[in-house]
Amino acid sequence: MATIANYRREDINKDNPIFSPIRTTIESTFYGNNVVKVSSLSEAYKLAKNSPGTIVTDMPVHRPTELGLDEGSKILLFNDGEITGRFAGARVIIGEHNVDEGQFSAIAREAAFHTRYKKLYHAQVLIGLHEDFMVKAHLLIPEGYENTMYSWMLNFQYITEEYMKMYKDSVKLPEGDIYILSIPEYYPPTHPNGLALFDPNHNCALLCGMRYFGEHKKGTLTLAWGIANRNGFASCHGGIKRYNFPGNEKYTIGVFGLSGSGKSTITHEKHDGKYDITILHDDAYVISTENGSSVALEPSYFDKTQDYPTNHPSNKYLLTVQNCGVTMDDEGNKVIVTEDIRNGNGRAVKSKLWAENRVNKIDEPVDAIAWLMKDATIPPVIKINNPILASTMGATLATKRSTAERLAEGVDMNALVIEPYANPFRTYPLENDYEKFKELFANRNVECYIFNTGHFLNKKIPKEITLKILEDIATKKAEFKELGNFSDIEFMEIEGFIPNMKDEEYQKMWVNSINYRKQFLLDMEIFKGGRDKLPKEALELLEKLEKEIYL
């Protein structure tokens, strides 16, 4: 499946659902006489290298010609300034309750007008690495932000003859290409902290005052996930891997979590080389509700640099670096300073070569889904045996924020929050995800687990325990037993982390945890005009859990 780039003249009219005022405003800007089309990744590299403020390190790109770059290409670093994370407060989605399309159409027209005296670069990529799901995306960004464009082209699939043939041969979706206009130095008067405007049904976005590369990456994925949702796929913000055992036995598990939840660590874990492991991706993919197969959306990785000191072996796979430092080593070479010494949320685009045994599609249906949470009530792992409850727990995924986000003033970084399916980039009703995941659990017999990657009670759960749990589940050595009186929840006995369901204080914690989720679902019935309301069965299952605590 692939999007449609161009239309016959007789199909260009107001009745064509592809077009809207905002999409037409944004796409038109791409054809101005101040626009320069960037035709290759090597051209984008040269533009970024020569852009004012770029630091060309003395660290070479590993195997550059395999990535579409020239021999001798170096890792480039570019820093943004004060803001080093995504800002949810800037997001506005056309179609949501009380969002005036006319007002934001006017803002889009004014923003587009402010580009007329700027040189603009037009870049293209593909999102989705298999014929089953491919989306073409276009980015327009002003001169001076060549590094953002270059990282964007590296993060997604730059245009090659091979991939364009796949794209052209794919069955066309009733969807237009994605168009994103970015004007990092323009702040609409109505949005002095920046605006990330999405018209998801028409596959376009306007980013104003957004310097941070993550806004461009996740903004693009926001629209791609929306297309997937409308066309028979579950949109996934997480990692997925397959264990390949002797005798053609396989086990595929997807893990869903926010940045900092451990999804990348879990996805890339090799268990000391004991198993043959295939990796699809650690951040973005889609699962077909028709056959359970999965398709990766990106070839590269946008990863934190916090856990990778300068001489860490993984750093040889870096392509670009954002919001990190540079120093001179003892041989006079410019090298990066990582570990968030300069600021929080230092980031880098890593090449596809970082992960061995990468594939673009996993044909086998997914066997298990794990929601990654940071809820002190939950032991290191529980198993959910009811499809409705499994999807409900995904819809009420409880976790904590990370440095990847720019939080509004007064927001507590350590407060427990609910982020449905670990995807803050959803632009469609929550029930769409709820039904798709419930279908996977009910009709495709997908197992559901919750991994607590934070603290159980007041005790930190080491990542080694989480990884051992993962290994035991994949090798079918994991043993689960009933958790208290819960009819649909089981747990694994792990020394030092055994829950006591007869303890009154612990029972109260469960009540609070369930009530927190119940209140979230009740809030969704009125929030945004009830757009994210879930079926009554979700709330009823949580109420059943609460009653079972005291049986």
Side-chain angles (χ1 to χ4, degrees):
M1 296 181 177
T3 51
I4 300 171
N6 307 111
Y7 291 86
R8 299 177 305 170
R9 291 189 181 186
E10 55 264 36
D11 295 328
I12 302 172
N13 54 62
K14 66 180 181 179
D15 295 324
N16 189 326
I18 296 299
F19 299 102
S20 73
I22 292 175
R23 180 189 174 88
T24 302
T25 297
I26 289 172
E27 184 183 352
S28 298
T29 313
F30 280 74
Y31 308 116
N33 60 7
N34 55 337
V35 173
V36 175
K37 203 164 189 177
V38 178
S39 58
S40 70
L41 196 58
S42 59
E43 181 185 355
Y45 170 82
K46 291 169 187 172
L47 289 169
K49 178 183 177 182
N50 295 322
S51 183
T54 300
I55 298 175
V56 182
T57 73
D58 292 310
M59 302 170 68
V61 170
H62 182 59
R63 291 155 56 182
T65 57
E66 297 178 41
L67 306 171
L69 296 170
D70 298 332
E71 284 288 357
S73 297
K74 304 290 187 181
I75 297 170
L76 304 183
L77 181 144
F78 189 82
N79 292 325
D80 296 317
E82 178 185 3
I83 306 305
T84 60
R86 288 179 282 101
F87 182 39
R91 289 170 67 90
V92 174
I93 300 171
I94 299 299
E96 286 194 347
H97 185 61
N98 286 335
V99 174
D100 185 342
E101 182 177 3
Q103 174 192 354
F104 286 98
S105 295
I107 291 173
R109 294 195 302 272
E110 186 67 14
F113 181 81
H114 278 265
T115 66
R116 66 186 294 248
Y117 293 116
K118 299 177 182 293
K119 178 190 285 187
L120 303 172
Y121 293 109
H122 174 189
Q124 301 179 68
V125 295
L126 294 172
I127 305 158
L129 306 178
H130 188 272
E131 293 96 330
D132 282 4
F133 185 81
M134 301 186 83
V135 173
K136 188 189 285 185
H138 306 256
L139 173 68
L140 193 63
I141 196 164
E143 182 179 26
Y145 292 89
E146 294 85 352
N147 281 275
T148 302
M149 175 185 68
Y150 175 52
S151 290
W152 187 78
M153 293 176 70
L154 287 168
N155 184 85
F156 298 107
Q157 178 57 54
Y158 66 95
I159 302 296
T160 67
E161 186 176 332
E162 174 193 2
Y163 274 94
M164 277 308 295
K165 183 179 186 306
M166 291 167 56
Y167 175 77
K168 289 177 180 177
D169 291 344
S170 297
V171 175
K172 291 296 178 281
L173 295 167
E175 306 275 356
D177 288 357
I178 288 173
Y179 281 88
I180 298 175
L181 172 60
S182 174
I183 320 172
E185 293 180 357
Y186 175 70
Y187 294 82
T190 53
H191 292 76
N193 294 317
L195 170 66
L197 174 65
F198 294 89
D199 184 354
N201 290 329
H202 301 96
N203 302 337
C204 63
L206 171 67
L207 304 179
C208 295
M210 303 279 108
R211 298 178 191 166
Y212 176 56
F213 169 68
E215 299 280 12
H216 297 75
K217 169 191 160 71
K218 283 300 197 284
T220 306
L221 286 173
T222 290
L223 296 171
W225 276 322
I227 294 171
N229 169 72
R230 292 191 292 271
N231 292 279
F233 294 88
S235 300
C236 305
H237 182 220
I240 187 167
K241 67 197 300 186
R242 184 183 66 203
Y243 291 80
N244 309 302
F245 298 111
N248 204 33
E249 288 289 322
K250 301 180 189 299
Y251 190 87
T252 302
I253 184 167
V255 294
F256 291 69
L258 288 182
S259 178
S261 66
K263 62 184 170 69
S264 293
T265 299
I266 292 171
T267 303
H268 293 286
E269 174 61 28
K270 300 177 181 177
H271 305 287
D272 297 321
K274 288 187 288 186
Y275 309 106
D276 175 20
I277 292 174
T278 298
I279 293 172
L280 186 77
H281 205 265
D282 69 358
D283 189 63
Y285 60 99
V286 294
I287 298 175
S288 168
T289 54
E290 180 181 342
N291 58 33
S293 63
S294 308
V295 174
L297 298 187
E298 310 165 296
S300 304
Y301 307 91
F302 185 49
D303 201 15
K304 287 175 175 286
T305 57
Q306 181 179 3
D307 298 325
Y308 300 94
T310 298
N311 65 344
H312 194 284
S314 291
N315 285 338
K316 80 174 183 179
Y317 298 105
L318 302 186
L319 301 173
T320 64
V321 183
Q322 300 86 33
N323 301 318
C324 287
V326 168
T327 191
M328 200 81 77
D329 69 11
D330 57 355
E331 296 180 357
N333 295 311
K334 295 189 292 293
V335 297
I336 58 173
V337 177
T338 55
E339 301 179 277
D340 282 2
I341 293 173
R342 179 183 184 269
N343 50 260
N345 199 41
R347 287 276 178 165
V349 177
K350 288 181 178 176
S351 84
K352 61 184 179 182
L353 303 174
W354 177 47
E356 299 176 2
N357 301 324
R358 261 292 303 271
V359 294
N360 294 334
K361 181 187 178 187
I362 291 180
D363 291 306
E364 294 79 10
V366 63
D367 293 293
I369 282 173
W371 310 126
L372 306 183
M373 302 200 191
K374 292 186 177 182
D375 181 342
T377 306
I378 298 174
V381 62
I382 58 176
K383 185 178 182 183
I384 309 295
N385 296 320
N386 180 306
I388 296 174
L389 183 60
S391 193
T392 299
M393 294 302 282
T396 58
L397 189 147
T399 187
K400 294 182 180 179
R401 298 298 185 193
S402 79
T403 56
E405 299 172 83
R406 173 191 173 194
L407 301 179
E409 187 175 347
V411 174
D412 182 1
M413 174 75 79
N414 296 311
L416 196 66
V417 295
I418 288 178
E419 195 60 78
Y421 306 104
N423 192 347
F425 315 105
R426 188 186 69 257
T427 58
Y428 46 84
L430 179 57
E431 185 177 0
N432 292 14
D433 275 345
Y434 173 83
E435 294 294 349
K436 284 186 170 65
F437 284 107
K438 187 178 78 170
E439 182 178 344
L440 290 174
F441 293 125
N443 299 332
R444 306 210 66 86
N445 298 316
V446 175
E447 300 167 351
C448 178
Y449 300 93
I450 295 176
F451 290 1
N452 183 355
T453 57
H455 289 75
F456 173 59
L457 303 178
N458 293 316
K459 190 174 182 179
K460 178 74 175 79
I461 301 171
K463 70 175 182 180
E464 291 76 15
I465 286 181
T466 301
L467 297 176
K468 182 63 167 61
I469 292 169
L470 174 68
E471 180 179 358
D472 287 347
I473 289 174
T475 57
K476 296 181 168 54
K477 295 178 182 177
E479 295 183 2
F480 288 85
K481 59 188 300 184
E482 289 184 1
L483 179 58
N485 297 314
F486 290 134
S487 56
D488 298 319
I489 302 177
E490 298 177 321
F491 80 106
M492 183 190 295
E493 285 191 338
I494 298 171
E495 186 177 354
F497 296 91
I498 297 177
N500 180 5
M501 289 301 296
K502 294 182 179 180
D503 180 83
E504 290 186 5
E505 290 303 313
Y506 186 58
Q507 290 175 344
K508 290 178 183 177
M509 288 184 65
W510 265 104
V511 170
N512 290 337
S513 182
I514 292 169
N515 282 335
Y516 188 60
R517 290 172 166 82
K518 286 170 54 181
Q519 188 58 53
F520 175 80
L521 295 186
L522 290 171
D523 289 344
M524 289 303 100
E525 294 186 7
I526 57 175
F527 183 60
K528 296 180 181 178
R531 179 175 178 268
D532 287 332
K533 179 181 179 179
L534 291 187
K536 288 183 179 180
E537 63 185 18
L539 191 60
E540 290 170 352
L541 255 292
L542 292 179
E543 291 172 343
K544 176 172 174 280
L545 283 186
E546 189 174 4
K547 292 176 183 177
E548 290 176 338
I549 293 173
Y550 297 113
L551 287 179

